[in-house]
Amino acid sequence: MTQAIDRMQLDNPQEWDLSDLYQNFSDPNFSQDLESLQQQASEFRDAHRGKVKDLSADQLAECFKTLEAIAEKSGYLYAFPSLIFSADTRNTEAKQFLDKVMEALTGIENQLLFFDLELQKLDAAKFETLQKASTLATYQHYLNRIAKYRPHTLSEEVEQTRNQDSLTGRQAFIQLRSVHLGEQEYEPVTTPDGRIVSTESELSALLYHPDAEIRTAGYQSVRKVMKQHNSLYAYILNSVAQDHKIENQMRGYESTLQKQLLADEVSEPVFRAIMQGTGDRFDLFQRYYTLKGQALGQKIRTADLYAPWGTEATPAVTYKTGVETLLSALDQFDPNYARRAEEFFVKNWVDAKVRPGKRGGAFCSYTYGKHSYLLMSYTDDYNSLFTLAHEMGHGLHFAWIDDRQTYFNSNPPMVLAEIASTFNELLLLDYLLKQAKNDKALTKSLITRQLEDQLNLLFRQSTISRLELAVHERAAQSSFDQSFVNQEWMKLYQTLCGDAVEVLPEHQYDWARIGHIYFKPFYCYQYTASNIVSLACYQKYLEVGKDFIPGYLELLAAGGSLDQVTALRQYVGVDIEDPATIRGALTYVEKLLDQLQASL
């Protein structure tokens, strides 16, 4: 399986090849596709505006196919400048083309807004008839989603205005933060081996360094920039939250939370159960870091959360070794699954190179009808390897969706969207533990890393959503500044950490690094929810073995064609609405803690 990988030059992290989309910004196909898309949207509007109420089920199915084709090509046009900009936020040409494309696509979206709006205005009997039509069976979930938004839909003119305003309103503020962060330069840190570290990704990687002074220097360098621009990032967050408040009032949502839960297909009782269930078990977080502090002979600080347990640094993992290790782990699960992953590296769909100006964090960008592109900054460590496994999980999920679903069913609900990524990490962990069975230091490092990953997903991510609850509740009443966000974040973190972890003063600025609180409110609790479900899936896989795989792959392939509660029950027998599922995840962490404590 790895012959193609062996032939590749993977000694250094690779850069992606976007030629599956366009060759460059001068590619004639780029401008031609944009022009033809605008014409196609205009023709569709002329043919159907004001006439949706008269469409038969067969005619509606044909309209859906046309809209899907437009959306697919729109995805190519957006992805190309967006991906180039993410890889280098200092690329002014990419920024200009991204702005141009976003403006054009907003115009196209406004041309087509009438269709869903007219569908939503159909009388109940007519709409129900369409929902039951066999020719529209593929689009049943899509129609059900349209029905749920009926109480919150505005007139076509207002919807168009909202879309246009987004370019210079909420979306512009979100983009401003990305541009501003990309322009920042960080105080360099020199490591004991003489290496000078100055990018955000490399400085963050120093949090795993065995030397406390190096960890502190890396931690402070990044947060010094967050402190310097504290008021700006709070102003942006306040502007985004205020825009959500205005939209809530216009659409009749009770809150930003209600609006987002509707989009996520998660009921509020499930959300509250997750927040309550994790909030009741902060003792697990505190117990772990108390043990770690005892082992290191010091009280753990927020700069030390990811410090290695031993005195020796965990061995480096080169990019080539990391790729080969991940593919071997996936191959033991399912050879075809691994083969699909290998394609990402062979065809350069991954950008893992570390460079200034690159967007922080990691992501998988799915382009329907093509494939996914993965972005990360690989820093030759196990954390990078697990990040690669995580994003590859997304990429493989979308590969299965692309095989089976139409465009309208290609976007899985958010809890489902994170399952494959976490599942991949669990596959990698088990593989590495088997390989390291005679290496006690590495085994311990992997177990503690898994514990820290679980504590992050279950407790840190849900704590971020607790901050968002406070932010959006405050925004509903009045505006806020950096003092409010800093104080709320510190208060929440001190509650989480208790006496086990010293929350350093610089941590009050840390919230500004969390992109999701700007991009999509209440995204982070879904990491918690999805992790809970992923653990349930993985435990079933360990119980039944290879017989689990067909149902799991069917779950991935379902995409957004089913309600996620139904999909989980139908394909893998997991019930997210059952409190026992939440308890099962917390019990898994508790057992890992028991295992760790017994080995000390």
PDB file of all heavy atoms in Angstrom, residues 138-152:
ATOM      1  N   THR A 138     -35.031  11.438  -2.369  1.00  0.00           N
ATOM      2  CA  THR A 138     -33.636  11.824  -2.113  1.00  0.00           C
ATOM      3  C   THR A 138     -33.547  13.123  -1.324  1.00  0.00           C
ATOM      4  O   THR A 138     -32.610  13.339  -0.552  1.00  0.00           O
ATOM      5  CB  THR A 138     -32.877  11.995  -3.447  1.00  0.00           C
ATOM      6  OG1 THR A 138     -32.934  10.768  -4.153  1.00  0.00           O
ATOM      7  CG2 THR A 138     -31.427  12.380  -3.220  1.00  0.00           C
ATOM      8  N   TYR A 139     -34.540  13.989  -1.522  1.00  0.00           N
ATOM      9  CA  TYR A 139     -34.505  15.328  -0.919  1.00  0.00           C
ATOM     10  C   TYR A 139     -35.427  15.468   0.295  1.00  0.00           C
ATOM     11  O   TYR A 139     -35.729  16.573   0.717  1.00  0.00           O
ATOM     12  CB  TYR A 139     -34.884  16.370  -1.971  1.00  0.00           C
ATOM     13  CG  TYR A 139     -33.974  16.357  -3.179  1.00  0.00           C
ATOM     14  CD1 TYR A 139     -34.396  15.832  -4.398  1.00  0.00           C
ATOM     15  CD2 TYR A 139     -32.674  16.845  -3.095  1.00  0.00           C
ATOM     16  CE1 TYR A 139     -33.558  15.808  -5.504  1.00  0.00           C
ATOM     17  CE2 TYR A 139     -31.821  16.821  -4.195  1.00  0.00           C
ATOM     18  CZ  TYR A 139     -32.276  16.305  -5.395  1.00  0.00           C
ATOM     19  OH  TYR A 139     -31.426  16.280  -6.475  1.00  0.00           O
ATOM     20  N   GLN A 140     -35.863  14.344   0.837  1.00  0.00           N
ATOM     21  CA  GLN A 140     -36.811  14.400   1.951  1.00  0.00           C
ATOM     22  C   GLN A 140     -36.242  15.151   3.156  1.00  0.00           C
ATOM     23  O   GLN A 140     -36.910  16.006   3.750  1.00  0.00           O
ATOM     24  CB  GLN A 140     -37.229  12.992   2.362  1.00  0.00           C
ATOM     25  CG  GLN A 140     -38.351  12.992   3.397  1.00  0.00           C
ATOM     26  CD  GLN A 140     -38.792  11.585   3.771  1.00  0.00           C
ATOM     27  OE1 GLN A 140     -38.066  10.856   4.434  1.00  0.00           O
ATOM     28  NE2 GLN A 140     -39.975  11.209   3.318  1.00  0.00           N
ATOM     29  N   HIS A 141     -34.996  14.839   3.530  1.00  0.00           N
ATOM     30  CA  HIS A 141     -34.403  15.515   4.684  1.00  0.00           C
ATOM     31  C   HIS A 141     -34.230  17.003   4.398  1.00  0.00           C
ATOM     32  O   HIS A 141     -34.449  17.847   5.282  1.00  0.00           O
ATOM     33  CB  HIS A 141     -33.054  14.882   5.033  1.00  0.00           C
ATOM     34  CG  HIS A 141     -32.447  15.415   6.295  1.00  0.00           C
ATOM     35  ND1 HIS A 141     -33.040  15.295   7.525  1.00  0.00           N
ATOM     36  CD2 HIS A 141     -31.287  16.109   6.519  1.00  0.00           C
ATOM     37  CE1 HIS A 141     -32.302  15.866   8.453  1.00  0.00           C
ATOM     38  NE2 HIS A 141     -31.233  16.381   7.865  1.00  0.00           N
ATOM     39  N   TYR A 142     -33.859  17.327   3.167  1.00  0.00           N
ATOM     40  CA  TYR A 142     -33.704  18.728   2.779  1.00  0.00           C
ATOM     41  C   TYR A 142     -35.035  19.468   2.905  1.00  0.00           C
ATOM     42  O   TYR A 142     -35.090  20.590   3.428  1.00  0.00           O
ATOM     43  CB  TYR A 142     -33.187  18.805   1.339  1.00  0.00           C
ATOM     44  CG  TYR A 142     -32.927  20.204   0.849  1.00  0.00           C
ATOM     45  CD1 TYR A 142     -31.799  20.903   1.257  1.00  0.00           C
ATOM     46  CD2 TYR A 142     -33.807  20.826  -0.039  1.00  0.00           C
ATOM     47  CE1 TYR A 142     -31.546  22.193   0.806  1.00  0.00           C
ATOM     48  CE2 TYR A 142     -33.570  22.116  -0.491  1.00  0.00           C
ATOM     49  CZ  TYR A 142     -32.439  22.789  -0.068  1.00  0.00           C
ATOM     50  OH  TYR A 142     -32.205  24.064  -0.515  1.00  0.00           O
ATOM     51  N   LEU A 143     -36.113  18.838   2.456  1.00  0.00           N
ATOM     52  CA  LEU A 143     -37.445  19.450   2.568  1.00  0.00           C
ATOM     53  C   LEU A 143     -37.858  19.589   4.028  1.00  0.00           C
ATOM     54  O   LEU A 143     -38.462  20.595   4.417  1.00  0.00           O
ATOM     55  CB  LEU A 143     -38.474  18.616   1.796  1.00  0.00           C
ATOM     56  CG  LEU A 143     -38.373  18.701   0.266  1.00  0.00           C
ATOM     57  CD1 LEU A 143     -39.224  17.614  -0.380  1.00  0.00           C
ATOM     58  CD2 LEU A 143     -38.823  20.074  -0.228  1.00  0.00           C
ATOM     59  N   ASN A 144     -37.536  18.593   4.825  1.00  0.00           N
ATOM     60  CA  ASN A 144     -37.853  18.670   6.259  1.00  0.00           C
ATOM     61  C   ASN A 144     -37.129  19.844   6.913  1.00  0.00           C
ATOM     62  O   ASN A 144     -37.687  20.529   7.780  1.00  0.00           O
ATOM     63  CB  ASN A 144     -37.454  17.367   6.967  1.00  0.00           C
ATOM     64  CG  ASN A 144     -38.317  16.194   6.560  1.00  0.00           C
ATOM     65  OD1 ASN A 144     -39.401  16.371   5.992  1.00  0.00           O
ATOM     66  ND2 ASN A 144     -37.862  14.987   6.828  1.00  0.00           N
ATOM     67  N   ARG A 145     -35.879  20.077   6.497  1.00  0.00           N
ATOM     68  CA  ARG A 145     -35.110  21.194   7.039  1.00  0.00           C
ATOM     69  C   ARG A 145     -35.732  22.532   6.623  1.00  0.00           C
ATOM     70  O   ARG A 145     -35.808  23.471   7.416  1.00  0.00           O
ATOM     71  CB  ARG A 145     -33.658  21.131   6.553  1.00  0.00           C
ATOM     72  CG  ARG A 145     -32.903  19.898   7.001  1.00  0.00           C
ATOM     73  CD  ARG A 145     -32.554  19.942   8.468  1.00  0.00           C
ATOM     74  NE  ARG A 145     -31.670  21.036   8.783  1.00  0.00           N
ATOM     75  CZ  ARG A 145     -31.609  21.637   9.968  1.00  0.00           C
ATOM     76  NH1 ARG A 145     -32.410  21.255  10.942  1.00  0.00           N
ATOM     77  NH2 ARG A 145     -30.759  22.618  10.180  1.00  0.00           N
ATOM     78  N   ILE A 146     -36.171  22.617   5.372  1.00  0.00           N
ATOM     79  CA  ILE A 146     -36.824  23.843   4.900  1.00  0.00           C
ATOM     80  C   ILE A 146     -38.056  24.135   5.748  1.00  0.00           C
ATOM     81  O   ILE A 146     -38.306  25.277   6.152  1.00  0.00           O
ATOM     82  CB  ILE A 146     -37.207  23.713   3.403  1.00  0.00           C
ATOM     83  CG1 ILE A 146     -35.956  23.807   2.526  1.00  0.00           C
ATOM     84  CG2 ILE A 146     -38.215  24.799   2.997  1.00  0.00           C
ATOM     85  CD1 ILE A 146     -36.220  23.599   1.054  1.00  0.00           C
ATOM     86  N   ALA A 147     -38.814  23.083   6.056  1.00  0.00           N
ATOM     87  CA  ALA A 147     -40.037  23.254   6.852  1.00  0.00           C
ATOM     88  C   ALA A 147     -39.722  23.811   8.242  1.00  0.00           C
ATOM     89  O   ALA A 147     -40.466  24.647   8.767  1.00  0.00           O
ATOM     90  CB  ALA A 147     -40.770  21.925   6.959  1.00  0.00           C
ATOM     91  N   LYS A 148     -38.609  23.362   8.838  1.00  0.00           N
ATOM     92  CA  LYS A 148     -38.256  23.824  10.182  1.00  0.00           C
ATOM     93  C   LYS A 148     -37.872  25.303  10.215  1.00  0.00           C
ATOM     94  O   LYS A 148     -37.989  25.964  11.241  1.00  0.00           O
ATOM     95  CB  LYS A 148     -37.105  22.971  10.746  1.00  0.00           C
ATOM     96  CG  LYS A 148     -37.547  21.564  11.119  1.00  0.00           C
ATOM     97  CD  LYS A 148     -36.402  20.763  11.733  1.00  0.00           C
ATOM     98  CE  LYS A 148     -36.879  19.373  12.136  1.00  0.00           C
ATOM     99  NZ  LYS A 148     -35.795  18.566  12.732  1.00  0.00           N
ATOM    100  N   TYR A 149     -37.402  25.813   9.071  1.00  0.00           N
ATOM    101  CA  TYR A 149     -37.008  27.220   9.012  1.00  0.00           C
ATOM    102  C   TYR A 149     -38.170  28.147   8.627  1.00  0.00           C
ATOM    103  O   TYR A 149     -37.999  29.370   8.624  1.00  0.00           O
ATOM    104  CB  TYR A 149     -35.856  27.413   8.014  1.00  0.00           C
ATOM    105  CG  TYR A 149     -34.503  27.084   8.593  1.00  0.00           C
ATOM    106  CD1 TYR A 149     -33.846  25.891   8.291  1.00  0.00           C
ATOM    107  CD2 TYR A 149     -33.868  27.968   9.462  1.00  0.00           C
ATOM    108  CE1 TYR A 149     -32.601  25.596   8.832  1.00  0.00           C
ATOM    109  CE2 TYR A 149     -32.625  27.680  10.007  1.00  0.00           C
ATOM    110  CZ  TYR A 149     -31.995  26.494   9.690  1.00  0.00           C
ATOM    111  OH  TYR A 149     -30.761  26.214  10.234  1.00  0.00           O
ATOM    112  N   ARG A 150     -39.324  27.573   8.342  1.00  0.00           N
ATOM    113  CA  ARG A 150     -40.454  28.400   7.884  1.00  0.00           C
ATOM    114  C   ARG A 150     -40.803  29.528   8.860  1.00  0.00           C
ATOM    115  O   ARG A 150     -41.038  30.661   8.434  1.00  0.00           O
ATOM    116  CB  ARG A 150     -41.677  27.522   7.618  1.00  0.00           C
ATOM    117  CG  ARG A 150     -41.505  26.612   6.414  1.00  0.00           C
ATOM    118  CD  ARG A 150     -42.641  25.640   6.238  1.00  0.00           C
ATOM    119  NE  ARG A 150     -43.749  26.255   5.498  1.00  0.00           N
ATOM    120  CZ  ARG A 150     -44.791  25.562   5.059  1.00  0.00           C
ATOM    121  NH1 ARG A 150     -44.879  24.265   5.300  1.00  0.00           N
ATOM    122  NH2 ARG A 150     -45.752  26.165   4.399  1.00  0.00           N
ATOM    123  N   PRO A 151     -40.812  29.274  10.189  1.00  0.00           N
ATOM    124  CA  PRO A 151     -41.177  30.371  11.103  1.00  0.00           C
ATOM    125  C   PRO A 151     -40.128  31.491  11.180  1.00  0.00           C
ATOM    126  O   PRO A 151     -40.418  32.560  11.713  1.00  0.00           O
ATOM    127  CB  PRO A 151     -41.299  29.662  12.470  1.00  0.00           C
ATOM    128  CG  PRO A 151     -41.379  28.209  12.174  1.00  0.00           C
ATOM    129  CD  PRO A 151     -40.603  28.011  10.920  1.00  0.00           C
ATOM    130  N   HIS A 152     -38.938  31.247  10.648  1.00  0.00           N
ATOM    131  CA  HIS A 152     -37.831  32.201  10.841  1.00  0.00           C
ATOM    132  C   HIS A 152     -37.375  32.863   9.538  1.00  0.00           C
ATOM    133  O   HIS A 152     -36.342  33.522   9.511  1.00  0.00           O
ATOM    134  CB  HIS A 152     -36.650  31.488  11.494  1.00  0.00           C
ATOM    135  CG  HIS A 152     -37.001  30.767  12.755  1.00  0.00           C
ATOM    136  ND1 HIS A 152     -37.340  31.425  13.918  1.00  0.00           N
ATOM    137  CD2 HIS A 152     -37.104  29.429  13.026  1.00  0.00           C
ATOM    138  CE1 HIS A 152     -37.627  30.535  14.859  1.00  0.00           C
ATOM    139  NE2 HIS A 152     -37.491  29.323  14.346  1.00  0.00           N
TER     140      HIS A 152
END
